Amino acid sequence: MPLPTLTLGLVVRYEYLWKRREQEGAHTADKDHPACVVATFKREGRSEDYVMYLPISHSPPSEEEIGLELPDDVKRKAGLDSAQQWILLNECNIDSWPMDLRPLPRQPGTFHYGHLPPNFFIIVRDRFVELYRDKKLSRVNRAGL
């Protein structure tokens, strides 16, 4: 099966590296997570696409984290399970597309769950941009930029 088309709001299975793990010296993740494509960009003189991913977790945000709980209809449309989940907004991974994507469990060749609904994605995007502008965003640069 081919890779999904890179679009904003796409929810993929990704080897997400938490900022705290990077600070401990890790270069790879302990486990894969759903992650949402919140931004894409190109670098001048380079052909590849770069992606900013936000992690989605079953664990509620800690005191240092800022997250939005995913409503049931959003989880359903994004192809996620029905357990409580949050999208974390104040940390992201930057990576080359499609590096570090992982196939879904029991679905070889499928790398995406679905998409966040556009009305919910706008909320996520706007809050992410606000945190970025306020310099309250932790980034893990996995693309070597």
Side-chain angles (χ1 to χ4, degrees):
M1 181 173 277
L3 290 170
T5 302
L6 178 59
T7 54
L8 297 178
L10 178 68
V11 178
V12 297
R13 187 163 182 86
Y14 175 71
E15 185 189 298
Y16 190 88
L17 179 59
W18 298 97
K19 183 66 175 177
R20 66 183 175 275
R21 294 280 298 129
E22 182 200 39
Q23 291 170 335
E24 295 167 355
H27 299 287
T28 59
D30 295 331
K31 70 179 197 174
D32 304 327
H33 283 273
C36 177
V37 174
V38 70
T40 64
F41 59 97
K42 288 193 179 285
R43 294 291 300 250
E44 190 174 326
R46 299 178 92 166
S47 62
E48 63 253 278
D49 290 305
Y50 296 97
V51 180
M52 296 178 88
Y53 293 106
L54 296 178
I56 298 173
S57 177
H58 288 105
S59 300
S62 69
E63 290 183 19
E64 300 83 39
E65 295 172 325
I66 299 169
L68 285 175
E69 186 171 358
L70 300 178
D72 289 338
D73 64 318
V74 168
K75 289 183 287 192
R76 206 171 22 262
K77 290 175 182 171
L80 299 169
D81 65 48
S82 61
Q84 273 190 306
Q85 295 183 62
W86 290 263
I87 185 164
L88 301 179
L89 303 169
N90 63 319
E91 84 161 64
C92 70
N93 277 196
I94 301 169
D95 210 341
S96 301
W97 176 260
M99 294 299 295
D100 300 312
L101 291 185
R102 299 293 184 257
L104 300 185
R106 297 174 297 287
Q107 295 184 45
T110 301
F111 299 89
H112 70 292
Y113 297 94
H115 285 82
L116 292 183
N119 59 341
F120 190 80
F121 177 75
I122 290 168
I123 295 166
V124 168
R125 181 206 59 202
D126 290 352
R127 186 70 175 115
F128 173 79
V129 168
E130 179 184 317
L131 292 166
Y132 179 85
R133 285 188 185 143
D134 292 345
K135 298 182 181 352
K136 294 181 180 176
L137 179 69
S138 298
R139 294 174 287 222
V140 175
N141 183 348
R142 302 187 71 198
L145 299 175

